Amino acid sequence: MKRISSALLTLAILCMQSPSSARELREYTLKKKIDTSDLIFVGNVLAIERPKQETEGVQEFAVVRVTESIKGAEQGKELRFVVKGSIGEDSPDCCLVGSDYLFFSKDGVQILTLEGSSIGGKIDLQGKYVSPSNGKFSTYPIVSGLVRDWPGKDLGPAEPLASVRKEICEALRESKGTEVSKPLP
């Protein structure tokens, strides 16, 4: 009986020590990424900054110049892309100044709210900031025309930007009511 109690105690401890899947962010399918993104674009990171005054939901942002718009972004425009916000899991794995990335983003910032005893969220600051649409799976580095870590590939290999753009544009066309900013070459 003592062995069974010890085994159950050990099992309970192991279960409590394993990472919680409830807080684990999963990568969306390409279709869901497109559907949840207001803007999809290639951009060059000009700077990493902090808001001049305290801004709820924004601790750090990248100033990004849009070099190519795929959905919703204006080419040549500078955007403030949140890289560190109030929700840790929503922070992307980017951005290095001078580097190019493929961005999947939504207009505004996700802000935590507390109503009664329930925690929720809302989108605020539309038009002032853009934020990741799928947390760390919202940005993909581009080096020498190759998109690194594109879904469906093992970490490390890269896919040509032209192929990735074509895949996104085809998925956009299949998505009802979505316009492609730039036609396929």
Side-chain angles (χ1 to χ4, degrees):
M1 186 59 123
K2 190 173 185 178
R3 283 186 183 172
I4 293 173
S5 296
S6 295
L8 288 174
L9 179 62
T10 302
L11 183 61
I13 290 171
L14 287 174
C15 287
M16 289 189 302
Q17 288 180 345
S18 67
S20 170
S21 62
R23 292 189 53 155
E24 183 179 313
L25 180 69
R26 296 207 166 115
E27 185 166 12
Y28 295 159
T29 63
L30 180 58
K31 181 184 179 342
K32 186 167 182 180
K33 256 184 218 183
I34 288 169
D35 291 345
T36 59
S37 296
D38 298 315
L39 304 104
I40 303 171
F41 61 94
V42 174
N44 180 264
V45 178
L46 305 175
I48 302 293
E49 298 180 4
R50 292 181 178 275
K52 291 181 180 23
Q53 58 189 5
E54 189 173 323
T55 304
E56 188 177 10
V58 181
Q59 295 174 14
E60 246 178 35
F61 62 91
V63 178
V64 180
R65 176 170 289 122
V66 177
T67 56
E68 180 182 333
S69 176
I70 299 172
K71 175 186 174 186
E74 183 181 326
Q75 191 159 334
K77 185 174 181 176
E78 288 184 11
L79 299 173
R80 293 185 286 183
F81 181 80
V82 178
V83 294
K84 189 174 181 187
S86 58
I87 303 171
E89 291 83 7
D90 208 24
S91 296
D93 286 339
C94 87
C95 291
L96 294 174
V97 174
S99 296
D100 295 321
Y101 293 85
L102 170 62
F103 293 87
F104 288 83
S105 62
K106 55 189 169 199
D107 185 19
V109 177
Q110 180 76 30
I111 297 175
L112 292 175
T113 59
L114 182 62
E115 294 175 20
S117 61
S118 137
I119 296 176
K122 66 176 185 173
I123 301 292
D124 200 6
L125 302 170
Q126 286 97 340
K128 295 182 181 183
Y129 292 93
V130 296
S131 57
S133 58
N134 188 205
K136 68 181 182 177
F137 304 110
S138 300
T139 57
Y140 298 91
I142 300 172
V143 179
S144 301
L146 298 173
V147 179
R148 306 263 317 164
D149 305 327
W150 186 243
K153 310 291 179 200
D154 294 328
L155 290 178
E159 189 75 18
L161 178 57
S163 298
V164 170
R165 181 187 317 111
K166 182 178 180 180
E167 185 178 348
I168 294 169
C169 289
E170 286 172 359
L172 273 165
R173 285 192 186 104
E174 291 172 10
S175 229
K176 292 183 179 177
T178 306
E179 284 188 33
V180 180
S181 296
K182 182 175 182 174
L184 283 173

